[in-house]
């Protein structure tokens, strides 16, 4: 049983979103599930062109990394939970995350293949109130449209998921409240995934 963390930042190891997602995945692993990080930046693909080819089969007409590498990776039956993580860009998800979410439409069109997965979301903004919750809603809408069950960060923080602030004067590592929401999110996704699929 695996929980897949999906990072929508264009940055590599220095990504603050990756930092938050790693906290969430570590907390999930501590509950007793396997975890895997998927960094969208490691794959070359663009958005969906609505050609309709995926209505017929779980296949995409665009010949790129999404078709060749991500379709098989995301089809892994061992994935029972997913955590979507994005930086806040103009109050919403990054272009990379949006392209990723749109390209996942073949999974919906071929029998709602994500439907039984448990999901949660995490966002990072440079401003304390820069649109983290709005960005979370972009990610939550995606999960709901796939039919997934979305869970919040676990009590006592329990709101919309992991919400972090990269503008902390001493760095995101000092955003203790934000890190707490990330860890509580990972815990909750793992706990519910185990309850449903364990
Ligand atoms: C094009 C662009 C738009 C941004 N818009 C916002 C915003 O609306 N609100 C906010 O709080 N931060 C905004 N930021 C800052 C990023 O959310 C912030 O630097 C975040 O920590 C980046 O995550 P990363 O390190 O994982 O890439 C923006 C950054 C860029 C490049």
């Amino acid at each position: 049983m695996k929980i897949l963390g999906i990072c929508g930042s264009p940055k590599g190891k220095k990504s603050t979103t990756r930092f938050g997602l790693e906290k969430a995945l570590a907390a999930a692993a501590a509950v007793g599930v396997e975890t895997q990080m998927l960094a969208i930046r490691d794959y070359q693909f663009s958005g969906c062109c609505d050609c309709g080819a995926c209505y017929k089969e779980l296949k995409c007409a665009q010949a790129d990394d999404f078709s060749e590498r991500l379709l098989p990776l995301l089809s892994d039956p061992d994935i029972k939970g997913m955590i979507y993580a994005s930086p806040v860009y103009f109050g919403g998800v990054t272009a990379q995350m949006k392209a990723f979410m749109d390209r996942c439409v073949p999974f919906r069109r071929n029998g709602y293949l994500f439907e039984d997965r448990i999901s949660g979301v995490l966002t990072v903004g440079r401003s304390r109130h820069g649109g983290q919750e709005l960005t979370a809603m972009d990610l939550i809408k995606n999960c709901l449209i796939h039919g997934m069950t979305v869970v919040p960060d676990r009590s006592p923080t329990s709101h919309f998921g992991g919400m972090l602030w990269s503008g902390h004067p001493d760095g995101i590592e000092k955003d203790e409240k934000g890190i707490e929401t990330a860890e509580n999110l990972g815990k909750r996704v793992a706990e519910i995934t185990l309850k449903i699929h364990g």
Side-chain angles (χ1 to χ4, degrees), residues 9-11 14-17 87-91 124-127 130 166:
S9 168
K11 292 187 208 136
K14 287 190 176 158
S15 160
T16 55
T17 306
V88 179
Y89 274 17
F90 283 91
V124 183
R126 188 180 298 279
S127 298
S166 64

Side-chain angles (χ1 to χ4, degrees), residues 31 33 35 54 59 63 74 80-81 104 117-118 120 122 127 131 157 163 166 178 188:
V31 175
V33 295
T35 63
C54 63
K59 215 174 155 189
L74 292 163
K80 304 294 188 199
C104 282
R117 294 180 182 176
I118 305 301
L122 180 149
S127 298
T157 53
M163 302 286 131
S166 64
R188 196 65 183 147

